[in-house]
Amino acid sequence: LARGRRTEADSASGPRKVDPLYYLHYMPKKDDDMAGEEFRPDGWGKISTSWRVPCVCSQDDGTLKPDSIFLDLLRRGFCNGNTREIIALCRNADNVPYTPEEIDEMMEDLNNNGHTLNLPFCFTEGAMALKNSILKDVFSSGLGVGRLFCDEGSAAVMDVEVGVYITRAHGAEATWHYDNNHNYTFQLYGSKDWHTVEDGNNVNVIGSRGLCDPPRNRAEQVNRTPNFSKERITRLEAGMGIYVPPGHWHRVVPVTEDPVCLSIDIRIASVTMARWLCENVFAKFMCKPSFGYIKDTGQNETLEQDVAIGWEKYLRLDPRNPLDPLHTCLSRHVGYLKAILSGDWRYQFCDPPVAMPFEPDLSDGMDLCASLEFLIDTLFEGDKISREHHFIKLAEAIEEPLKDGYVCKRKVSLTPFVAVTKKEADDGIVMHMRHTSGLTNMDYQRYGILCPFDCETLIDRIIDRTLTSDDVGAILDGYEVGQDAEGDLLTLLTYINFVNVEPESPAARPAATRASSGASTGRVAKRRRE
């Protein structure tokens, strides 16, 4: 297929297909009188609430009766509660599966030592389906859907993980603590008592913390501790769910088992705007090699020259009253930041990455991956025409300001956060994006996009940072959604905030170099296979 084109039959999509493990099936419904408190979008991030997995069957008299279909689906998605099978499908923090010896040790701790198994990275079929259903809605939020996870003061939803807690009746409890992520818990087997409080919780939390943990910084030291005598106790039985926002104190006590006490934990991580702003500022400094060291005077072009001159230069300036190198360096950093903020800062700071759904067969635990075709098709599920129109408008918004004669001409800008590598697969090229914060070590992005071979030239130029405005204009000239793989990839990268356009100063730019040969490899890009 030339330039990765697809036929109309291939690219057409019908009504949105809803997975039986779609997360909204397990949220309370307005007409469900057994759901307890209604979970409202305006309560997101503000209140703790619990409910029974919604009833779906109406009786002849118009009332609702419990139906176990969704609970049964959920249980099947988690190996019907088989602990050993579940552990085998989990990963540790390094994304490595547990060995048979480690599984045996966990089973011993669970059955004979009263331990609670906390497995935060679970990849059973049900876990991946729930995670993907949330990511699909977050991914589509830029097109006007999936707005449940909107946070006031939050930059964006960055990460979704599904884990499990497995324990025995009256096993080890989780003492009073709060987490720095949104937490959904669904009880599959057995029951637990959840202790929560409505007043005295914290909003701006930067980490999880237990009641007995000493404060690690001033922010934690001034965090409020609620009056626990006003706690509310919720007995979470099989088929019930609870939501706890970030910074809300809670305590969890296992009560019964059947045959174990097993719950699903969905953690939705969001990043405050304050943290994301700091990430942007830090990235700006780290992109300049002459910033970062106290002895750096900033009067030379390279860091090596500055370090070579070092401390002695300050003494030569005024031996009787040498300048304070710390404050001299700090002054330079402040000056650089002022220069950034004095312009149109909207083009200086990057928006956070947009989370994307994945294809389990292409992914490896926490390293997610999906084909370009899958992502485009997912984005246009449901109202295909209006969403496709939005995507075309986005491509036009990229292309138009790059043209000569535009009132305020722009240039192409790539995010300074993400490292890009490529790997050849049997049916294409995987463009892998990795963003681990140099400031906090938080993983913002670990994602691969499987692209047709025709995209290799574009990927090479992204890796080499040689992508020009003329290249972008040539790719998007006459772009049709789903018919041009390079155009799809470039527009998708703009949609997820990887590619941006910013004002440029007049300067000579290289001519467009749209070609089919790999820029950095010298290899001829292969045609996409039929």
Side-chain angles (χ1 to χ4, degrees):
L1 296 176
R3 297 180 63 200
R5 294 184 183 275
R6 294 176 291 179
T7 65
E8 289 189 11
D10 292 332
S11 60
S13 62
R16 183 183 179 96
K17 297 178 181 178
V18 179
D19 193 284
L21 287 177
Y22 183 51
Y23 76 95
L24 281 180
H25 287 324
Y26 301 93
M27 299 295 155
K29 300 294 190 296
K30 293 181 178 180
D31 57 351
D32 183 0
D33 58 5
M34 296 186 66
E37 298 181 34
E38 177 191 345
F39 182 80
R40 302 176 302 276
D42 59 1
W44 175 252
K46 299 177 182 177
I47 59 172
S48 299
T49 185
S50 60
W51 62 89
R52 187 175 297 280
V53 171
C55 303
V56 293
C57 291
S58 298
Q59 301 184 98
D60 294 338
D61 60 2
T63 60
L64 296 171
K65 67 177 182 179
D67 193 314
S68 63
I69 180 173
F70 288 124
L71 177 58
D72 291 341
L73 284 171
L74 211 52
R75 284 175 167 175
R76 287 201 296 271
F78 286 83
C79 307
N80 288 313
N82 187 306
T83 302
R84 186 176 290 274
E85 290 182 11
I86 291 174
I87 299 175
L89 293 171
C90 293
R91 302 286 181 99
N92 62 20
D94 295 321
N95 199 32
V96 177
Y98 293 106
T99 65
E101 293 75 19
E102 289 173 322
I103 296 175
D104 289 339
E105 185 177 348
M106 289 185 197
M107 294 299 296
E108 174 69 18
D109 286 340
L110 172 67
N111 295 322
N112 299 321
N113 299 328
H115 290 189
T116 293
L117 302 184
N118 176 11
L119 303 167
F121 307 109
C122 181
F123 297 96
T124 64
E125 182 179 346
M128 290 190 290
L130 287 172
K131 177 176 179 174
N132 229 358
S133 69
I134 295 174
L135 289 175
K136 285 181 179 180
D137 274 11
V138 173
F139 182 52
S140 302
S141 62
L143 300 180
V145 297
R147 304 302 297 173
L148 173 62
F149 307 108
C150 293
D151 241 337
E152 292 183 6
S154 172
V157 172
M158 296 292 187
D159 186 33
V160 179
E161 293 293 350
V162 178
V164 292
Y165 283 90
I166 308 173
T167 187
R168 293 293 186 184
H170 309 294
E173 68 173 67
T175 57
W176 283 105
H177 68 285
Y178 63 71
D179 300 304
N180 66 333
N181 49 256
H182 301 271
N183 186 303
Y184 285 104
T185 294
F186 295 103
Q187 194 70 28
L188 290 191
Y189 296 94
S191 62
K192 292 180 179 179
D193 280 343
W194 281 71
H195 302 247
T196 57
V197 286
E198 293 304 318
D199 298 320
N201 292 303
N202 302 285
V203 179
N204 290 324
V205 296
I206 55 178
S208 301
R209 184 187 174 204
L211 181 62
C212 298
D213 295 341
R216 295 165 291 187
N217 48 63
R218 179 60 179 168
E220 289 187 350
Q221 191 169 35
V222 299
N223 276 351
R224 296 179 296 173
T225 301
N227 182 355
F228 293 114
S229 66
K230 296 183 179 180
E231 67 177 354
R232 181 178 65 181
I233 302 176
T234 302
R235 175 65 56 86
L236 208 67
E237 299 175 334
M240 293 184 65
I242 190 170
Y243 164 72
V244 178
H248 281 231
W249 292 92
H250 55 283
R251 171 189 171 210
V252 187
V253 181
V255 179
T256 65
E257 59 183 57
D258 179 30
V260 292
C261 186
L262 170 61
S263 58
I264 306 168
D265 174 42
I266 303 177
R267 304 179 309 285
I268 301 177
S270 60
V271 174
T272 63
M273 189 59 70
R275 172 175 282 192
W276 186 248
L277 176 62
C278 291
E279 294 282 8
N280 268 279
V281 172
F282 186 70
K284 287 290 183 183
F285 285 132
M286 295 310 293
C287 287
K288 297 286 186 179
S290 65
F291 282 100
Y293 287 86
I294 291 178
K295 294 183 180 181
D296 168 26
T297 66
Q299 299 177 17
N300 299 284
E301 294 181 356
T302 66
L303 175 63
E304 291 76 11
Q305 289 174 320
D306 280 338
V307 173
I309 294 173
W311 183 268
E312 293 182 0
K313 182 169 183 176
Y314 292 105
L315 297 179
R316 290 200 303 270
L317 291 174
D318 187 352
R320 293 169 300 178
N321 186 25
L323 297 175
D324 181 350
L326 173 63
H327 289 90
T328 300
C329 186
L330 180 61
S331 176
R332 287 191 56 244
H333 283 71
V334 172
Y336 180 60
L337 182 58
K338 286 181 177 178
I340 294 173
L341 296 176
S342 64
D344 194 338
W345 58 267
R346 292 174 300 172
Y347 297 104
Q348 298 293 335
F349 293 150
C350 298
D351 291 332
V354 175
M356 293 181 283
F358 61 98
E359 293 182 89
D361 292 344
L362 298 179
S363 303
D364 180 22
M366 287 179 270
D367 291 321
L368 306 181
C369 184
S371 66
L372 176 61
E373 185 173 0
F374 168 84
L375 292 171
I376 297 297
D377 289 345
T378 299
L379 202 56
F380 298 145
E381 283 182 358
D383 190 358
K384 182 179 187 297
I385 296 178
S386 64
R387 295 186 190 181
E388 186 173 298
H389 176 74
H390 180 101
F391 212 59
I392 292 175
K393 289 294 183 183
L394 178 60
E396 292 175 352
I398 306 168
E399 181 186 13
E400 188 65 24
L402 302 178
K403 296 179 179 178
D404 291 326
Y406 191 75
V407 177
C408 182
K409 196 172 183 180
R410 304 284 199 262
K411 64 178 180 180
V412 175
S413 171
L414 304 181
T415 175
F417 296 112
V418 181
V420 179
T421 56
K422 71 174 185 178
K423 181 179 180 181
E424 185 168 327
D426 291 339
D427 51 352
I429 299 292
V430 176
M431 174 184 170
H432 189 265
M433 299 174 290
R434 178 72 183 262
H435 174 198
T436 299
S437 169
L439 189 63
T440 64
N441 205 38
M442 176 178 177
D443 273 336
Y444 286 103
Q445 196 168 49
R446 294 173 62 169
Y447 199 94
I449 303 176
L450 175 61
C451 306
F453 286 109
D454 294 9
C455 292
E456 186 169 15
T457 299
L458 173 58
I459 295 172
D460 284 334
R461 290 184 181 139
I462 288 173
I463 293 174
D464 297 337
R465 298 276 166 156
T466 58
L467 183 68
T468 68
S469 298
D470 290 327
D471 293 331
V472 172
I475 291 172
L476 296 180
D477 183 27
Y479 167 64
E480 298 179 40
V481 179
Q483 303 301 309
D484 181 353
E486 279 187 317
D488 283 345
L489 178 59
L490 185 59
T491 310
L492 176 68
L493 292 176
T494 305
Y495 178 79
I496 65 172
N497 298 325
F498 180 91
V499 175
N500 195 10
V501 291
E502 62 183 30
E504 73 167 7
S505 57
R509 293 180 291 122
T513 51
R514 178 90 182 253
S516 60
S517 60
S520 62
T521 63
R523 296 173 58 248
V524 176
K526 303 176 185 177
R527 294 294 184 189
R528 185 179 180 185
R529 299 178 182 179
E530 297 290 346

